[in-house]
């Protein structure tokens, strides 16, 4: 699920996808990663002190966030901001520096690598769940997460500015995290082929219905449309992925992509700029290519391939930058 999710993230940030595919990807791709983060959470982690959790998730999320914000800021401020859409925006070169501490992915605060918004936001989710999770039973954790999500929706409507580190987005994402953590306790068995196909089909039907009615959603911009349809479509999309992976064999290439997910996430925007610079030497109209389906696949494939091929070197020489010890 992580491998599929990160490929969809990379695809979703290309220009050549059809509107229908973008609608589908954005309906669940960020909720999927909140869900997976809760799913892999161990109960023993919740039993540790709050200070230990602060340190652990700072190492896992904040170090990669600040490190790659700096690393990707350098090529942006020196080169990328003078070309393409960035040149038309005229963003002050120091704004992304301030934005790195602000931690929100809109209004040019992270213009050099706007996708990084998710890391501090997930950090807030982890610590918030620690606060509600260590003293409550599993079912009450879900209820608390739903209440916090309602608070997040209210804050997103009444606040005149975005809160630091995507705080309101973190609250909105809490139910995905809590349900993911709850499912680890159920120890669900793999369904047979017929039951799996029927479940997948039913979930996909509900998901596409929600997408059709609700339109495009975007957690970064807190553009969710009808909240009920947003959550229904996102959870059904996660369910579709859950059923789909049961039919995918356990092969090394999938695990390889999954293990490279952090590197893919933090570098794919910059790798897109590198590929554009190279293609400009050979493609007469680069914009036409970028806006084509072939361009979308090429850009996403390039980012995934480079990350998969280089991740071992990152883990060997700079593991702390990827959140590893």
């Amino acid at each position: 699920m992580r491998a599929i999710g990160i490929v969809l993230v990379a695809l979703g940030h290309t220009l050549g996808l059809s509107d229908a595919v973008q609608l589908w990807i954005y309906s669940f791709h960020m909720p999927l990663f909140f869900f997976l983060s809760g799913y892999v959470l161990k109960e023993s982690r919740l039993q540790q002190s709050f200070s230990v959790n602060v340190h652990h998730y700072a190492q896992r999320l904040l170090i990669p966030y600040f490190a790659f914000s700096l690393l990707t800021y350098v090529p942006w401020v020196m080169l990328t901001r003078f070309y393409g859409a960035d040149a038309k925006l005229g963003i002050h070169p120091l704004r992304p520096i301030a934005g790195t501490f602000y931690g929100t992915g809109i209004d040019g605060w992270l213009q050099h690598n706007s996708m990084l918004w998710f890391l501090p936001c997930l950090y807030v989710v982890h610590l918030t769940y620690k606060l509600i999770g260590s003293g409550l039973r599993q079912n009450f954790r879900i209820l608390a997460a739903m209440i916090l999500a309602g608070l997040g929706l209210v804050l997103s409507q009444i606040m005149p500015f975005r809160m630091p580190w995507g705080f309101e987005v973190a609250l909105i994402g809490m139910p995905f995290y809590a349900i993911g953590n709850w499912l680890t306790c159920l120890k669900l068995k793999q369904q047979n082929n017929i039951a799996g196909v029927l479940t997948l089909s039913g979930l996909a039907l509900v998901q596409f219905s929600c997408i059709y009615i609700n339109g495009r959603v975007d957690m970064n911009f807190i553009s969710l449309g009808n909240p009920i349809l947003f959550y229904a479509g996102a959870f059904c999309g996660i369910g579709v992925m859950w059923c789909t992976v049961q039919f995918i064999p356990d092969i090394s290439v999938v695990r390889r992509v999954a293990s490279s997910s952090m590197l893919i996430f933090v570098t794919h925007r910059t790798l897109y700029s590198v590929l554009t610079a190279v293609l400009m030497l050979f493609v007469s109209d680069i914009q036409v290519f970028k806006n084509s389906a072939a361009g979308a696949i090429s850009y996403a494939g390039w980012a995934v391939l480079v990350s998969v091929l280089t991740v071992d070197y990152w883990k060997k020489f700079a593991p702390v930058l990827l959140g590893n010890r």
Side-chain angles (χ1 to χ4, degrees), residues 96-134:
I97 295 293
T100 298
F101 295 94
Y102 187 22
T104 185
I106 65 171
D107 297 335
W109 288 110
L110 288 171
Q111 184 64 28
H112 61 300
N113 199 346
S114 60
M115 298 77 185
L116 291 177
W117 71 268
F118 179 73
L119 298 182
C121 182
L122 183 58
Y123 183 75
V124 173
V125 170
H126 279 304
L127 297 186
T128 303
Y129 193 75
K130 161 61 184 173
L131 290 175
I132 68 172
S134 56

Side-chain angles (χ1 to χ4, degrees), residues 233-253:
F235 274 118
C236 285
I238 292 169
V240 168
M241 288 296 103
W242 183 285
C243 295
T244 298
V245 297
Q246 297 187 44
F247 299 97
I248 300 177
D250 184 13
I251 54 178
S252 60
V253 65

